[in-house]
Amino acid sequence: MTSARTAPLSARLHDDLGRLIASTPPGERLPSEPELARRLSVSRATLREAMRTFETEGLIHRRQGVGTFVAQTPQVIETGLEVLQSIHTLARRMGLTVRMGIYQIDQRPPTPRETEKLDLRASKEVIQVSWVMETEDRPVAYLVDTLPADVISAQRLQRDFNGSVLDLMVQSDELILTTSHTSINAVAADPEIAKALGIQRRDVLLYFEALLYTGEGRAVDYSYSYYLPGYFHFHVVRRVGK
């Protein structure tokens, strides 16, 4: 339970830190954590928790062993969720600059969870594509697609993959994709994801987990994605029920 003393302290710290960030030019380094904690009259642990919020909003960027810097105003990808489109395609249509960072393509036997999720049919292996999406100044998303090896060959992925497995599947003459079942949650970044996105462990991320189906009901892509909240705004248009 939040005490009467804690709530005002948290609000005051957020306001004071927000004013300091707003008054510091983009690209400039903030004072060190010990100096900031002393100046704001809080512990370093309390300060770190407050700074997590501003980092996930894209307002600051902490570099391990270097310091904390005020970020440029982040590019924001804003989209509804009624129609499935790749983030790569959405960014291009909105005129935002994104690029493919580090990526990896592996062909291997499926895990028990992948066997449960996917309709493997005659395929005894899956292909997994994992990659980092970057803006001009930092990584903002980590995406993983796993599909049966007979859906798209590893050779084609190695040759044509440019940031979206979905776009390659849509372009295929052999697949008719119809629906995607997606769950959305907020999760804490584990060490691997935190390292890939250049954030702190346990920072909050938007997490999407989805299954993509063909017209005949075959599940051909199991994907999960992590997004920095400050760089993505998702919304849903809903009709009012009676």
Side-chain angles (χ1 to χ4, degrees), residues 181-198:
H181 296 183
T182 306
S183 63
I184 306 170
N185 292 286
V187 299
D190 65 26
E192 177 188 0
I193 303 303
K195 181 179 180 181
L197 295 179

Side-chain angles (χ1 to χ4, degrees), residues 10 13-14 17-18 20-21 29-34 36-37 40 42-63 67-70 199-200 203:
S10 175
L13 175 58
H14 188 275
L17 195 53
L20 175 62
I21 292 170
R29 184 166 58 183
L30 294 175
S32 66
E33 278 190 5
L36 267 181
L40 298 173
V42 296
S43 69
R44 291 180 66 180
T46 300
L47 175 66
R48 287 195 196 101
E49 287 302 313
M51 292 179 76
R52 287 180 189 272
T53 301
F54 291 98
E55 184 169 30
T56 56
E57 290 176 355
L59 298 177
I60 60 174
H61 186 202
R62 285 184 280 183
R63 301 176 190 169
T68 301
F69 296 80
V70 175
I199 58 176
Q200 304 295 310
D203 280 358

Side-chain angles (χ1 to χ4, degrees), residues 203-222:
D203 280 358
V204 176
L205 298 169
L206 295 174
Y207 175 73
F208 282 48
E209 184 174 359
L211 273 173
L212 182 61
Y213 293 87
T214 65
E216 60 181 9
R218 184 186 183 191
V220 293
D221 183 16
Y222 170 52

